[in-house]
């Protein structure tokens, strides 16, 4: 049909509540369900008023914990409105969604965060993994691209939401030699030294460079401390004879029957 985009969303609700809510969201947004199972499969017609092509949408729903559920989305559509369609489905879901820290980071940008916009934030969510959190953002210019420098608990990358789609350029933590900032008339700049080359993010709001670099140092220090922490020793394996002796004491005390004692003893012996 067109370009296929994959993304995942953590829903802060149990599977039993999430599945019917996703079905209801399909109906509410005009996605006609063609396969009503799991995954849920649906189709939308072209929406001229929204300048959006027809699409095929799939939502695979899987429990993560008793109180959280993961929805793996697949949107097959021409153009670049994949995140917009997924956002409409999430708005209609009427359940709390884990935004991976993006909302708080945008709020810290103030007016710049509001300028970034809801659609761009939704597109950014497609590039943040479920096992990481957005720590800090800095809006600026990289080369000729206007976008956002994004620091997560695992990565540093520049996010560009252009007219024809979104893209990222990642700066590998292991390859970064240093981060520095400078103040200019047009705003601050962050300089990234990466394995023999450098990159500069310009036209940042005043104060943003220093704040961003302080957050970067905290993330790197935390990662270094975690990798340097000694491995926890494995818990000692209980002695087999001692376990059988304790089972015998439970049997003699009337807590276990003879049959239960025999079964448990056989289980222990089978592990040898």
């Amino acid at each position: 049909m067109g370009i296929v985009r994959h993304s995942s969303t953590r829903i802060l609700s149990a599977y039993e509540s999430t599945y019917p809510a996703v079905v209801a969201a399909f109906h509410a947004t005009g996605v006609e369900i063609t396969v009503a199972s799991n995954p849920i499969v649906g189709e939308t017609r072209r929406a001229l008023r929204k300048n959006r092509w027809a699409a095929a949408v799939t939502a695979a729903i899987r429990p993560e914990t008793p109180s959280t559920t993961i929805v793996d989305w697949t949107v097959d559509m021409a153009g670049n409105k994949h995140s917009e369609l997924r956002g409409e489905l999430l708005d209609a879901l009427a359940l709390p969604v884990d935004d991976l820290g993006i909302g708080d980071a945008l709020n810290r940008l103030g007016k710049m965060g509001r300028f970034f916009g809801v659609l761009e934030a939704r597109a950014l969510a497609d590039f943040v993994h479920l096992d990481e959190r957005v720590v800090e953002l800095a809006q600026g210019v990289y080369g000729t691209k206007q976008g956002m420098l994004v620091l997560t608990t695992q990565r540093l990358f520049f996010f560009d939401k252009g007219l024809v789609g979104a893209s990222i350029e990642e700066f590998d933590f292991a390859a970064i030699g240093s981060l520095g900032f400078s103040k200019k008339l047009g705003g601050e700049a962050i300089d990234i030294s990466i394995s023999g080359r450098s990159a500069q993010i310009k036209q940042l709001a005043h104060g943003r460079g220093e704040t961003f670099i302080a957050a970067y140092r905290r993330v790197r220090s935390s990662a270094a401390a975690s990798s340097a922490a000694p491995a926890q020793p494995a818990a000692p394996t209980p002695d087999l004879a001692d376990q059988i002796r304790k089972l015998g004491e439970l049997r003699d005390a009337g807590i276990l029957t003879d049959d239960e004692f025999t079964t448990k003893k056989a289980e222990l012996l089978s592990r040898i």
Side-chain angles (χ1 to χ4, degrees):
M1 179 177 291
I3 301 170
V4 179
R5 303 287 189 196
H6 303 281
S7 61
S8 297
T9 306
R10 176 178 290 110
I11 309 299
L12 305 179
S13 183
Y15 175 87
E16 292 76 14
S17 301
T18 301
Y19 183 88
V22 173
V23 172
F26 269 59
H27 292 305
T29 54
V31 181
E32 181 180 353
I33 295 177
T34 57
V35 179
S37 59
N38 193 4
I40 304 168
V41 180
E43 295 179 349
T44 67
R45 297 180 179 181
R46 183 176 181 181
L48 294 176
R49 296 175 65 180
K50 297 179 180 179
N51 192 27
R52 195 164 68 202
W53 295 93
V57 183
T58 301
I61 306 167
R62 51 189 170 95
E64 182 185 36
T65 71
S67 58
T68 61
T69 306
I70 303 299
V71 181
D72 297 310
W73 306 95
T74 299
V75 180
D76 183 354
M77 177 174 61
N80 63 345
K81 299 295 183 72
H82 300 69
S83 297
E84 181 182 293
L85 176 56
R86 185 189 62 121
E88 289 183 7
L89 286 162
L90 290 175
D91 287 343
L93 197 58
L95 290 175
V97 175
D98 181 7
D99 74 348
L100 307 174
I102 295 173
D104 287 343
L106 283 173
N107 288 336
R108 288 194 293 274
L109 292 180
K111 292 181 179 179
M112 297 299 288
R114 289 190 289 274
F115 176 78
F116 186 59
V118 175
L119 295 181
E120 287 82 359
R122 284 173 174 167
L124 174 58
D126 290 343
F127 293 91
V128 181
H129 305 150
L130 289 178
D131 61 347
E132 64 183 336
R133 310 291 297 179
V134 172
V135 177
E136 204 65 68
L137 298 170
Q139 190 172 26
V141 176
Y142 176 43
T144 60
K145 298 178 179 180
Q146 174 76 41
M148 194 76 72
L149 188 63
V150 182
L151 173 68
T152 78
T153 49
Q154 299 179 10
R155 298 181 294 153
L156 177 67
F157 62 88
F158 186 81
F159 170 78
D160 169 37
K161 176 67 170 67
L163 295 176
V164 294
S167 63
I168 67 169
E169 180 172 343
E170 187 165 339
F171 307 106
D172 185 11
F173 272 174
I176 295 175
S178 64
L179 249 67
F181 80 98
S182 56
K183 296 183 178 181
K184 303 179 182 296
L185 290 177
E188 295 184 350
I190 291 179
D191 297 292
I192 310 171
S193 175
I194 323 150
S195 299
R197 70 182 183 93
S198 62
Q200 186 178 74
I201 315 300
K202 302 179 293 184
Q203 299 181 23
L204 276 66
H206 289 290
R208 184 95 313 246
E210 188 172 6
T211 299
F212 192 95
I213 290 175
Y216 168 78
R217 289 172 178 163
R218 290 195 301 270
V219 170
R220 295 305 304 269
S221 296
S222 177
S226 298
S227 62
Q232 295 296 322
T237 303
D239 180 73
L240 181 61
D242 185 55
Q243 292 183 71
I244 294 175
R245 179 183 59 79
K246 289 180 179 179
L247 286 175
E249 292 175 354
L250 293 173
R251 178 197 57 187
D252 295 341
I255 298 174
L256 292 178
T257 66
D258 288 339
D259 289 341
E260 289 172 332
F261 169 78
T262 301
T263 300
K264 292 293 184 182
K265 179 180 177 181
E267 289 178 2
L268 292 173
L269 293 175
S270 68
R271 301 175 187 172
I272 300 177

